[in-house]
Amino acid sequence: MSAAIEQQSARRTARRPPQAPSGAGFLLGQALVLDLVLAVGAVATWPIYRSTALIIVLTAGIAAGHLVAALGTRWRWSAWWVALATLAVYVAIGVPVAATGSLASPDAALRALVDVATAPVTGWKDLLTLELPLGSYQATLAPALLVFVGCTVAALSITWRARRWWMPAVLVALLPTAFGVAFGARALSAPLRLGTLAVQPETLVGVGAVLAALVAVVWRSDHDRRRALATAAAASGVARGPRGRRRGLTARVTTATGMVIAATAVAALWGPWALADRPREVARSVVEPVLELERAPSPLASYRASFDDDRYDEALFTVSPAQGVDRVRVATLPFYDGRTVRAVAPDAGLTDPATAFTRVPSRLDADAPGEVAVSVRIQAGTGIWVPTVGDLRAVSFEGSRAAELADGFFLNAATGAAIDIADPAPADGDAYRLVASVPAEAEPVASLTPSRSGPALPAEVVPASLTEWMDTQNAGTGGAALDTLLDRLRSRGYLSHALLLPGGDAPAWLRDLGEAGFQPSRAGHSTDRIGALFTQLIERESSSPDGSDADLVAAVGDDEQFAVAAMLIADQLGFDARVVVGTRLASPEGLPVCEDGVCRGGDLAAWVEVADAAGRWVPADVTPQHESFPSPDLEQRRDPENPTQVRRDEAEPVLPADASPADGERSEPESTPQEADLTALWTALRIGGVSLLALVVLVGPLVTILTVKALRRRGRRRGDVAARFTGGWEEYVDTAVDHGYTAPAHLTRRELARLFAGGAEDAAGVRLATWADRSAFDVAPPSAAENDEFWRIVAAERARFAAEKGWWARLRARLSLRSLVPRRRAGRR
């Protein structure tokens, strides 16, 4: 009998699945091949940041991942505890490694800690809304740290512990490469020239990822094969010669190398041709920041409000030093729909890559020629529009709201305009420093070459009087024609910022003009308003065909109308043009400038920027003159021939007619209901929502595990009597497994119960095994009363398992995932 039991035990031992490989050589080799795959992911991530700080972050992250995976493998931590340790290590090294600039003060460090902790939930937004490269801006390195720490721990834990299912480790190690591709730039990088062959860097990254993954698979497969052959040779005594091993390895390496070479050749030759003129579809292509531009009024529409007496001398912002900069850009408005000029395309809106506003990291690109550093201090401010100079390279905010303003800063790289949607908008006391590239000298407009042969704006938004006036000027074509038409438009216009001259003193803007007289001017820059402007010019020129520019002054308005008119003229000649609202720090033509860098409301101006065929943008001033007063018409100057005399003694007062009953009584105008200020409520809801989301992310998995186990235990106590006995036995085994016991599939129920009881034959678990066998195989199953006693013993055994452990071990058992992993059940039918 004893010999039969030993033979049966030997057969069961032979059927056991092989244990996970171990040994320092295996652990080190497996880590190296997976590190090779992670290194390709680091190369794919580099274009997102382009900073040496990324190297430090990835080195620290991969090293920390190796440490956590090694400790978890050594001490056989459950998946849940490995995940908690990974998260703890990520938070611990996140602030000093991924947000080094936050160590300047305790407040900054606390803010960085919050950013690092919330990066798993909100970090993707910064990656998708900031303009590349990100550098080490704030905590944008935290998502990369999280990806590399998590993938390193997961890949090594899987491959070091797995017996057969180690392949997912390679797929997990490829996730950093996918991260670099998904969060990369919209456009492909410049191709690398290898002689006559042009290869995209993205192609090389893809080939490198495939090659590194293939190396990892071949290495592990060869290791497992050699291990299996060694086991078979030990069992049979027949060993395979080294020549056969070398032949098999050579064949596998040759096959893999041939596959890689063929795939690389196909990708290098076919990829550039197939992807030519196709945009790169990445996550950044479909996610855009939500801005307030749609609700903000056009800066040109509110241009005249700056010339009211209460705002004319109000300081908006101060620029220092002002040397080397002649213009400050507040807003750039390239689109016209017949009603107003705006910053975003009416049809594409904020999702158009050419005009979208994106967040700006610490620096946009490498140093450029003609760079200047300028400090700007906000006073009254210009709303959400942020004054900038030249071609922006870097921006850094100062003061107590620096982080908040930096988070709300967005730049339109195509137009150079910037906005800040922080709440509240930049105001008195806020300051920032700009680094920008400023051209040495602008080219003359007459030297420009149009990029088109005809207009781009729809005909319905262009006044007919504008095209008629252009035809009568006989100015020719190209840049010379544009320069001539803009010069005639300015010299035949007259500056006026108001509709009616108020009674009393003259307005401040009129006093600053000196001897200039007042002419009323209607606001607005719609198609109708611009058409009326050119109608005045045509009528005056028709009445004085041979008059000089001073005789032909007729169009009355200011920069609001004349900038839009110049934009339409440039478009008709084939030029791309846009309106710019800003201030001048220097002007050779005597136009208003900011004194000592202090820009006031009356210093605001509007001009146009015109692009030639080479894509260079050249500014052109369009402010009308104010020296030559418009000549009145002959009928306006003639005195009336028959003046009317009023005889007071014959004048009779005329009483108003009685009110019509149909009119009813006129009610008092209803007061406009004041909308409640919900800013504090929305702020509280936003903070509460983020806190709740973070709580769900941290605590949700714990509650889910406890809930699943409770529902499983409840379901096992239901059904027929036999099913309740089987379910009770499975609950007993799962409890033991969660508390660290192993449950070999080849053992019977009684053997498994003795294993859990330390070999005791009279243990309560043995009674459970007997009842469970009766419920499965006996003709007469146990009764319902025995079932209640069975579950009472299960509860007692669960309490015994818990009593054997400490507090932390009991908590680990409750949250263990071992019993939730599918496995072969012992004693199941």
Side-chain angles (χ1 to χ4, degrees):
M1 182 68 179
S2 175
I5 293 176
E6 291 179 358
Q7 293 177 0
Q8 184 179 11
S9 177
R11 289 194 299 270
R12 290 170 178 169
T13 303
R15 293 196 300 268
R16 293 178 183 177
Q19 298 297 318
S22 59
F26 164 76
L27 298 179
L28 180 60
Q30 186 66 82
L32 288 178
V33 294
L34 289 182
D35 287 345
L36 180 62
V37 183
L38 294 173
V40 178
V43 175
T45 307
W46 171 259
I48 301 177
Y49 297 93
R50 295 186 184 275
S51 172
T52 54
L54 177 66
I55 301 176
I56 300 175
V57 167
L58 299 189
T59 302
I62 294 176
H66 281 69
L67 178 62
V68 173
L71 294 178
T73 303
R74 171 65 179 80
W75 300 106
R76 305 299 299 174
W77 290 347
S78 65
W80 180 248
W81 286 106
V82 171
L84 287 180
T86 303
L87 185 60
V89 169
Y90 159 73
V91 174
I93 68 176
V95 173
V97 173
T100 55
S102 62
L103 302 179
S105 64
D107 293 341
L110 180 60
R111 192 183 306 111
L113 179 62
V114 174
D115 292 340
V116 170
T118 57
V121 181
T122 62
W124 63 269
K125 179 181 178 182
D126 292 334
L127 297 182
L128 295 177
T129 57
L130 280 168
E131 191 69 21
L132 300 182
L134 303 178
S136 57
Y137 178 70
Q138 293 187 357
T140 53
L141 287 165
L145 175 64
L146 176 64
V147 169
F148 278 85
V149 170
C151 291
T152 302
V153 171
L156 291 178
S157 298
I158 293 173
T159 193
W160 280 347
R161 300 188 186 195
R163 297 184 293 267
R164 294 191 181 96
W165 303 104
W166 51 265
M167 184 63 73
V170 180
L171 300 179
V172 172
L174 287 172
L175 289 180
T177 303
F179 168 79
V181 173
F183 290 91
R186 297 186 183 95
L188 294 174
S189 303
L192 300 177
R193 296 288 177 180
L194 303 177
T196 58
L197 182 64
V199 182
Q200 292 291 147
E202 290 78 7
T203 302
L204 296 180
V205 170
V207 172
V210 173
L211 180 60
L214 194 58
V215 169
V217 171
V218 170
W219 186 92
R220 180 59 184 265
S221 299
D222 183 71
H223 178 273
D224 290 352
R225 185 173 182 274
R226 287 187 287 105
R227 185 168 176 267
L229 291 175
T231 303
S236 62
V238 179
R240 189 183 184 189
R243 182 177 179 182
R245 292 195 298 269
R246 287 196 299 269
R247 185 184 301 112
L249 178 62
T250 302
R252 290 191 297 275
V253 171
T254 302
T255 302
T257 304
M259 293 172 58
V260 172
I261 293 176
T264 303
V266 172
L269 296 176
W270 175 78
W273 173 81
L275 300 178
D277 300 328
R278 290 174 177 257
R280 185 185 183 193
E281 294 296 335
V282 294
R284 184 179 300 272
S285 303
V286 295
V287 178
E288 294 292 336
V290 180
L291 306 177
E292 297 183 359
L293 277 174
E294 293 292 348
R295 296 186 296 175
S298 171
L300 194 62
S302 57
Y303 170 76
R304 285 201 174 183
S306 301
F307 292 88
D308 294 340
D309 284 356
D310 56 345
R311 297 188 58 186
Y312 184 76
D313 290 325
E314 183 180 31
L316 302 178
F317 53 87
T318 300
V319 180
S320 60
Q323 292 77 15
V325 180
D326 59 350
R327 296 176 190 268
V328 178
R329 184 191 309 271
V330 174
T332 306
L333 313 169
F335 301 101
Y336 183 61
D337 58 4
R339 296 185 302 273
T340 183
V341 286
R342 58 181 65 192
V344 293
D347 51 350
L350 300 175
T351 60
D352 188 350
T355 59
F357 283 77
T358 55
R359 295 182 64 191
V360 177
S362 56
R363 189 168 184 88
L364 291 178
D365 54 16
D367 294 341
E371 281 194 355
V372 296
V374 176
S375 296
V376 180
R377 179 165 298 277
I378 302 297
Q379 289 160 297
T382 54
I384 66 173
W385 299 94
V386 179
T388 60
V389 297
D391 189 6
L392 185 65
R393 291 289 179 265
V395 59
S396 58
F397 288 85
E398 304 170 358
S400 59
R401 300 180 61 208
E404 181 182 356
L405 293 174
D407 289 339
F409 184 80
F410 289 81
L411 175 72
N412 188 322
T415 63
I419 62 172
D420 201 307
I421 60 173
D423 188 16
D428 191 8
D430 296 326
Y432 54 93
R433 182 176 178 84
L434 300 172
V435 177
S437 175
V438 180
E441 185 177 356
E443 298 183 5
V445 176
S447 64
L448 302 181
T449 303
S451 58
R452 305 186 309 267
S453 58
L457 290 174
E460 57 269 17
V461 304
V462 180
S465 58
L466 182 144
T467 57
E468 180 182 353
W469 181 79
M470 292 179 59
D471 293 338
T472 60
Q473 301 306 305
N474 298 320
T477 59
L482 179 61
D483 185 58
T484 300
L485 293 176
L486 294 186
D487 181 68
R488 292 179 183 178
L489 181 64
R490 290 186 57 193
S491 60
R492 298 177 186 181
Y494 189 77
L495 181 61
S496 176
H497 294 298
L499 181 62
L500 294 176
L501 181 62
D505 297 335
W509 65 265
L510 187 58
R511 294 196 301 269
D512 284 350
L513 293 181
E515 300 297 332
F518 175 79
Q519 278 286 320
S521 170
R522 183 162 56 96
H525 52 273
S526 63
T527 300
D528 176 71
R529 177 67 178 92
I530 304 302
L533 196 76
F534 285 95
T535 300
Q536 293 174 338
L537 291 174
I538 294 174
E539 292 177 352
R540 178 52 54 86
E541 292 178 3
S542 63
S543 62
S544 300
D546 299 327
S548 63
D549 287 338
D551 297 330
L552 299 179
V553 174
V556 182
D558 56 10
D559 292 6
E560 179 185 0
Q561 294 80 36
F562 280 76
V564 176
M567 177 183 178
L568 297 180
I569 291 174
D571 177 76
Q572 294 298 305
L573 294 176
F575 291 95
D576 292 329
R578 59 197 187 192
V579 176
V580 178
V581 177
T583 59
R584 305 181 188 92
L585 301 181
S587 175
E589 301 181 3
L591 296 173
V593 297
C594 303
E595 296 182 3
D596 299 327
V598 180
C599 298
R600 308 179 186 277
D603 296 326
L604 279 180
W607 60 85
V608 292
E609 288 183 344
V610 184
D612 67 350
R616 297 168 298 183
W617 290 92
V618 176
D621 291 312
V622 292
T623 304
Q625 58 83 34
H626 57 272
E627 290 82 7
S628 299
F629 195 79
S631 300
D633 293 334
L634 182 61
E635 294 297 330
Q636 294 177 340
R637 291 181 298 176
R638 181 179 301 172
D639 294 333
E641 297 180 357
N642 299 313
T644 302
Q645 296 182 358
V646 179
R647 299 180 60 181
R648 295 183 178 273
D649 53 347
E650 296 181 1
E652 296 181 359
V654 179
L655 298 178
D658 296 336
S660 172
D663 293 339
E665 295 183 356
R666 179 170 298 180
S667 59
E668 294 293 332
E670 298 181 359
S671 59
T672 303
Q674 298 293 330
E675 296 183 359
D677 186 6
L678 302 180
T679 304
L681 176 61
W682 290 122
T683 302
L685 291 177
R686 183 168 61 251
I687 295 175
V690 173
S691 303
L692 180 61
L693 181 60
L695 184 64
V696 170
V697 171
L698 296 177
V699 183
L702 306 177
V703 177
T704 301
I705 294 173
L706 296 176
T707 303
V708 169
K709 289 186 176 182
L711 294 176
R712 183 183 64 181
R713 184 163 55 251
R714 180 183 178 185
R716 287 170 173 174
R717 300 197 65 165
R718 297 185 176 183
D720 56 17
V721 176
R724 293 201 296 270
F725 274 99
T726 304
W729 173 257
E730 292 180 348
E731 183 67 23
Y732 168 69
V733 174
D734 286 341
T735 303
V737 168
D738 286 338
H739 283 80
Y741 290 91
T742 59
H746 62 278
L747 297 182
T748 64
R749 286 193 174 101
R750 293 181 63 86
E751 292 171 343
L752 200 58
R754 288 198 297 270
L755 177 64
F756 293 159
E761 290 289 343
D762 57 348
V766 177
R767 294 181 61 192
L768 296 179
T770 302
W771 269 334
D773 287 340
R774 283 182 55 196
S775 67
F777 304 110
D778 201 342
V779 176
S783 63
E786 291 175 321
N787 177 262
D788 294 338
E789 177 64 16
F790 182 91
W791 273 95
R792 187 192 64 78
I793 297 175
V794 170
E797 287 296 288
R798 294 180 69 247
R800 179 179 69 83
F801 287 138
E804 295 175 353
K805 306 291 183 180
W807 186 86
W808 277 107
R810 289 197 299 272
L811 178 61
R812 186 166 60 247
R814 285 181 176 273
L815 301 176
S816 174
L817 299 175
R818 296 180 61 189
S819 65
L820 298 178
V821 178
R823 67 180 190 277
R824 296 176 59 189
R825 300 289 183 180
R828 177 178 289 178
R829 290 187 183 181

